[in-house]
Amino acid sequence: MSKKPQTVRGMNDILPETAASWQFLEKEVENVIEAYGYRQVRLPLLEHTEVFRRSIGEVTDIVEKEMYTFDDDGDSLTLRPEATASMVRAGITHGLFHNQKQKLWTVGPMFRRERPQAGRYRQFHQFDVEAMGYEGPDVDAELIIMSARLWERLGIDKIRLEINSLGVPESRAGYREALVEYFNGVKSQLDEDSIRRLDKNPLRILDSKNPEMQDIVAGAPIMMDYLDEASAEHFAGLRALLDAAGVEYAVNPRLVRGLDYYSRTVFEWVTDALGSQNAVCAGGRYDGLIEKLGGRSTPAIGWAMGVERFVSLYEACGGQVPTVMPDVYLVAVGEGTQERAFALAEELRDGIEGIRVEMNLGGGSFKTQIKRADKSAANYALILGEQELSEGCIGLKPLRSNDEQESIVLDELASVLKGRLSG
Ligand code: ATP
Ligand code: MG
């Protein structure tokens, strides 16, 4: 092969150094989510195309142009572009919402055929947290407070919260009318996408990413003026809970989100630290979706966070990832030493919870093995030669200090090492 094989455009390999950051941060996110009593589910990457078409909506960027859809023997299947639709589908499939409330989360890859650029990929990853069966606004507040806790724990400060309410379908109808009237008045200035959306989905125009549309969008009527009383009360309830919890936010009346299923609360955590890809975590309420997909009418709300943007933001805020290196590197030189070293490595892994033991593999002289030990970044080399073996002991050589090498009785190695590693 003359040319190196490449990944599919917009799909990334996550190599060990980056993966280490992901592992560290994913653990943090999981801990926070589970501290609120949410339980993990794992879902397929493929769904019947209908699941996304019906939930996300026909006239949305995702369904119109971003889905990876293919025919599988007469079935139209799609790689999931987001997780909420799959979660809802799973809940209906297994009857999870029958007279029950659910607090669920998942994490994994999502697929959208977008124009790849920094922070925007065709395979990306999301954490997804959803609560079904709660009318709110207490659960709305809880989900936002949960995300705020995450930023706080990790020292992520270049982030701010925007919230809005989209009301219910009935109140949105009046707003929709007002929007159509307004946009019709400036129709000659609308771009192609917006003109197409004018009849089918005028709210979507507010979500336009085209900079030339920004001024027109800024002059549009706002949903807040059309909100029904119950939604206004719900929104006030959310604001009061956020205020009490000390979570700062701005009400952004233009925030509509790019998916059709939202109702009432929508929110977005945005940052200025990542260029134009400014949304890190976003979500909202989707009270009509479960029924629309064939379940019983059940209120629900959730958020999704892009892992790539989250990791970048953590770094942009000065976040450090603890480096993971072996605790000990096991050097074995001479007749019969490798066999004993293998057994010893297992004993250490049995005896010291979480220890990272790196065995010297591929032989080599004492000098070569010590060099490898040094390069491994381990704190200690354990040195087993023929003489040590015959005496039932092993050399413990500190690699990152000038302390002397010690000789340790093999039977006591685990307990001595435990002390050294914790000290
Ligand atoms: P954007 O406005 O940036 O297109 P979105 O509104 O389409 O985002 P959602 O569908 O709400 O995004 O997904 C939630 C989160 O997933 C986003 O806030 C972002 O962090 C992440 N995300 C969405 N699309 C991508 C992508 N193509 N590449 C990387 N991350 C993404
Ligand atoms: Mg998008």
Side-chain angles (χ1 to χ4, degrees), residues 202 251 272 381:
V251 176
D272 298 322

Side-chain angles (χ1 to χ4, degrees), residues 143-210:
L143 280 165
I144 290 173
I145 290 167
M146 179 198 293
S147 47
R149 163 172 289 272
L150 186 63
W151 321 137
E152 170 117 14
R153 263 186 68 85
L154 293 169
I156 292 176
D157 50 5
K158 297 177 183 170
I159 196 162
R160 54 179 205 280
L161 175 64
E162 296 187 347
I163 62 174
N164 192 20
S165 176
L166 300 180
V168 294
E170 299 76 54
S171 56
R172 215 151 52 226
Y175 178 53
R176 195 192 140 107
E177 248 170 59
L179 273 184
V180 171
E181 193 183 317
Y182 169 79
F183 283 123
N184 262 320
V186 292
K187 197 166 177 181
S188 59
Q189 300 166 59
L190 296 182
D191 63 8
E192 216 178 286
D193 267 350
S194 303
I195 289 176
R196 205 161 29 82
R197 285 168 182 193
L198 189 49
D199 297 325
K200 291 184 181 157
N201 199 345
L203 250 81
R204 201 75 314 120
I205 303 177
L206 300 178
D207 198 40
S208 170
K209 296 258 173 2
N210 182 353

